[in-house]
Amino acid sequence: MSDTKADILITNAHIFTSDESNPRAEAVAVRGNRIIFVGANRSAKNFCDSNTRVIDELGHTLTAGFIDTHVHLLSGATWMGYADLREVHARGDARTVLRDFADKHPSDEWIIGWRSEYNIVSSRHELDEIIADRPLYVRAADAHTAWANTKALEMAGLLHNGNGSGLPDGVVLDEMGYPSGELREARAMRMVLDIIPTPVEARIREQLKLAIQGFNKTGITSIHNMNGDMNDLMVYAAAEDAGELNLRAYVPYSVKPETREEELQEAAEMAKVQMDYVRGGMTKFFMDGVWESYTAFNIEPYADDPTVRVDPIFSPEHFIRMASLCDKMGLQIAVHCCGDGAVKQTLDGYEAIQQINGTRDSRHRIEHVEVCQPEDMPRFKQLGVIASIQPSHASLRLDEYKIGRDRLGEKRWHLWQPWRDLKNAGAHLSLGSDWTVVPYDPMTHLHVALNREKLSPTGTDQRLTLEECILGYTRDAAYVEFQEFEKGKVREGYLADLILFSHDLFELKPEDIMTAKPVITIFDGRIVFEEE
Ligand SMILES: [Zn+2]
């Protein structure tokens, strides 16, 4: 008989533990914020007394809480307060949504739309026809392009010179040489974004709370907030202090091309923040943009427009200089790489850094890895680099692969989102969503990972197994943030972050995975979501 009684006891579950020493179990007991028992139903009874909440699971799957290793939660929560254009497919509908929003928010100085498809609006004149008396800024769903009206461009000083000379790349010019209103990639977008007043923190915190409720509902109990600075970290810290933070957040410092070496000190300060739920310790770089807007840095030209030339956001020397400083400070590095050229240059950089600083357990990472050359795949393992992937960026079927079909061209199809090839080459894979670009619900990502069609008939079947997906969201994701001894497994002594599903996931046909969803999410020993 055990003297320790559980607060929560779950029995008759099919537990996928993500723990190689004890892969399957029937029962789990939680006391405080820790797992105190994982094993057979008959032994579990010992942990039960009159105060124990007993949940009898009837054979459904239980896993560790999911860790989304690439998501933009805080900025997403902020954008949730703006006009949502996700359901808009024509300019007339965009006008309706934006004008409605403007009417409902008469005191908002700026009108901001987000999650727009491309080709809904593409110039300031089109935006002026929607709203001209207030600055208007519309961001694309992938967050790599935005469009601003004339008023917004004027306020940002982009029209003052009379023409576009001296403006950064990415500020698209019209045939007269004036900014057209289209802004590609962060540097150009920030010319306008930086003058938009940020909402007051109370409003952001309120929206963050709402967003987290949504995350918990889908089983997410930890996130890597893939952009940030000390301010962002402090918003999370304040939410934790106020008892509002029902997930664990790992927040990087974003290193931009214009970031000065001494500014990296902020990243070092962030790394000292190690609260129960909120932690710093990572830096985030962008090496390129995205295939959609011809800003991905690829080795071979774009198939549908070979004239496009893309430079990486950091030159090789610049990246090595900044990244080696981060590495020397013991920080983890994550680099956004969509094109195969970006992947290669980043791996080259990581290799150079090891030569400069020596080898350590650095777990540097590459985000997205949308296209990767075969010769670069084994380098992930050789250099100890993590491939952080977001399955929904690969579409399900060939006829949905517009980007794949057009921009990559048939010759490169077999290199698109090469998850199986990366795994076969020994790369450590972790899974995430990249919300707000695509939905955060892990089930939508599992669906694509389990069911995507082969893009190239002769290429590798790049699908993942259910087991690999769950590991990618649990054990292998915890490893990515150096927390593999604290979470990511259903194991005695580990943090009690758990998901109970509505089905036995392993009994479902892969194509039916979306019918399953969490019915209970436990975070830090507390039930934070329970289906009615
Ligand atoms: Zn991202």
Side-chain angles (χ1 to χ4, degrees):
M1 281 291 277
S2 164
D3 294 332
T4 322
K5 298 304 173 193
D7 300 322
I8 302 171
L9 176 66
I10 300 162
T11 54
N12 285 309
H14 283 173
I15 305 179
F16 180 87
T17 63
S18 301
D19 178 4
E20 50 285 7
S21 68
N22 177 35
R24 297 281 184 161
E26 298 169 320
V28 57
V30 171
R31 184 183 171 83
N33 70 340
R34 296 277 168 180
I35 295 165
I36 56 167
F37 168 81
V38 183
N41 287 326
R42 56 188 147 64
S43 325
K45 288 190 209 84
N46 299 335
F47 293 91
C48 189
D49 71 6
S50 56
N51 293 322
T52 304
R53 162 116 194 243
V54 180
I55 299 163
D56 198 34
E57 237 314 272
L58 305 167
H60 299 159
T61 296
L62 184 151
T63 68
F66 279 4
I67 301 163
D68 186 331
T69 58
H70 189 121
V71 62
H72 302 276
L73 172 57
L74 185 60
S75 56
T78 309
W79 286 84
M80 276 166 61
Y82 300 139
D84 191 351
L85 299 168
R86 188 176 38 166
E87 304 295 332
V88 162
H89 307 296
R91 196 179 311 152
D93 299 333
R95 178 204 304 260
T96 310
V97 170
L98 290 166
R99 283 199 179 163
D100 275 359
F101 187 88
D103 290 343
K104 286 197 188 101
H105 298 84
S107 60
D108 280 16
E109 191 192 346
W110 283 70
I111 301 304
I112 297 161
W114 70 303
R115 294 209 269 204
S116 175
E117 291 174 8
Y118 282 80
N119 302 320
I120 298 286
V121 289
S122 46
S123 75
R124 64 186 164 103
H125 301 297
E126 288 167 6
L127 286 170
D128 291 347
E129 283 168 26
I130 298 173
I131 288 163
D133 59 339
R134 284 193 258 178
L136 172 61
Y137 182 86
V138 171
R139 191 175 80 166
D142 65 11
H144 283 267
T145 298
W147 301 271
N149 71 355
T150 300
K151 180 111 183 160
L153 294 174
E154 269 168 1
M155 288 170 70
L158 294 182
L159 292 169
H160 285 177
N161 296 340
N163 61 47
S165 61
L167 292 174
D169 280 355
V171 177
V172 177
L173 305 179
D174 61 22
E175 54 282 7
M176 309 287 290
Y178 292 94
S180 72
E182 180 161 319
L183 307 162
R184 291 184 190 162
E185 293 302 320
R187 237 183 112 202
M189 292 193 289
R190 275 204 306 274
M191 300 287 292
V192 176
L193 206 50
D194 281 351
I195 63 163
I196 299 176
T198 39
V200 290
E201 191 172 317
R203 187 163 157 189
I204 294 176
R205 284 260 299 278
E206 215 35 61
Q207 286 161 200
L208 182 61
K209 225 162 51 179
L210 279 175
I212 290 172
Q213 279 169 17
F215 276 59
N216 289 159
K217 208 175 158 175
T218 65
I220 298 170
T221 52
S222 288
I223 57 117
H224 298 185
N225 189 86
M226 288 311 285
N227 59 294
D229 57 19
M230 183 61 100
N231 274 335
D232 292 347
L233 190 65
M234 287 300 115
V235 175
Y236 279 115
E240 176 175 343
D241 285 340
E244 296 170 1
L245 197 62
N246 284 339
L247 51 67
R248 305 177 200 280
Y250 182 41
V251 185
Y253 174 79
S254 294
V255 182
K256 298 163 187 152
E258 65 271 25
T259 302
R260 286 174 283 115
E261 288 179 17
E262 56 271 27
E263 288 176 293
L264 295 176
Q265 200 49 42
E266 185 170 332
E269 290 301 317
M270 288 171 71
K272 292 181 193 157
V273 179
Q274 299 289 327
M275 301 170 64
D276 286 341
Y277 303 162
V278 180
R279 296 163 45 239
M282 179 181 22
T283 53
K284 167 83 188 290
F285 292 67
F286 277 86
M287 192 56 81
D288 67 348
V290 292
W291 286 89
E292 283 83 347
S293 65
Y294 298 95
T295 50
F297 174 46
N298 48 7
I299 292 168
E300 297 287 331
Y302 283 86
D304 58 350
D305 188 351
T307 64
V308 175
R309 287 280 168 273
V310 180
D311 286 324
I313 291 174
F314 286 83
S315 70
E317 304 71 37
H318 190 186
F319 176 68
I320 291 166
R321 182 163 55 83
M322 297 304 277
S324 67
L325 285 170
C326 296
D327 180 71
K328 209 173 189 167
M329 291 193 274
L331 301 167
Q332 189 182 37
I333 300 165
V335 184
H336 165 117
C337 296
C338 282
D340 51 1
V343 172
K344 189 183 283 295
Q345 184 177 306
T346 302
L347 289 167
D348 290 347
Y350 286 150
E351 199 174 319
I353 290 167
Q354 282 191 0
Q355 274 150 20
I356 298 166
N357 294 341
T359 311
R360 65 179 181 97
D361 184 11
S362 53
R363 305 187 197 181
H364 296 325
R365 32 199 290 187
I366 295 186
E367 308 301 309
H368 313 309
V369 202
E370 292 199 333
V371 181
C372 182
Q373 288 298 322
E375 71 267 20
D376 288 327
M377 292 181 187
R379 300 176 74 199
F380 281 81
K381 183 173 185 210
Q382 285 156 16
L383 296 165
V385 172
I386 285 147
S388 161
I389 61 156
Q390 304 78 36
S392 285
H393 282 320
S395 312
L396 211 50
R397 288 189 307 276
L398 189 58
D399 54 20
E400 292 174 2
Y401 276 114
K402 181 130 182 58
I403 301 305
R405 285 204 320 265
D406 300 352
R407 310 270 197 280
L408 274 77
E410 207 173 336
K411 251 174 56 194
R412 248 179 321 216
W413 282 359
H414 66 290
L415 304 174
W416 174 246
Q417 308 274 5
W419 310 326
R420 175 60 52 202
D421 286 335
L422 283 164
K423 259 209 179 284
N424 285 348
H428 184 105
L429 252 59
S430 73
L431 269 61
S433 69
D434 208 10
W435 184 75
T436 60
V437 182
V438 288
Y440 53 74
D441 181 354
M443 283 301 154
T444 64
H445 295 272
L446 262 60
H447 183 58
V448 177
L450 296 174
N451 297 300
R452 67 180 278 208
E453 276 181 5
K454 283 204 314 186
L455 191 53
S456 159
T458 55
T460 313
D461 182 345
Q462 303 290 358
R463 285 178 300 175
L464 300 175
T465 65
L466 178 58
E467 200 163 304
E468 288 169 335
C469 288
I470 298 175
L471 291 172
Y473 263 117
T474 56
R475 182 194 71 186
D476 297 347
Y479 173 87
V480 173
E481 51 168 303
F482 301 87
Q483 294 290 295
E484 69 270 31
F485 299 112
E486 281 289 309
K487 65 181 184 183
K489 291 179 187 176
V490 185
R491 185 184 167 122
E492 276 175 41
Y494 274 52
L495 289 165
D497 297 350
L498 302 165
I499 314 171
L500 283 175
F501 288 91
S502 57
H503 294 71
D504 183 341
L505 303 184
F506 291 89
E507 289 291 308
L508 287 171
K509 290 199 200 103
E511 59 267 35
D512 294 334
I513 195 74
M514 296 272 280
T515 57
K517 53 185 187 323
V519 289
I520 289 181
T521 304
I522 297 176
F523 168 70
D524 210 35
R526 291 177 285 118
I527 294 176
V528 291
F529 165 71
E530 182 164 14
E531 203 186 48
E532 313 254 303

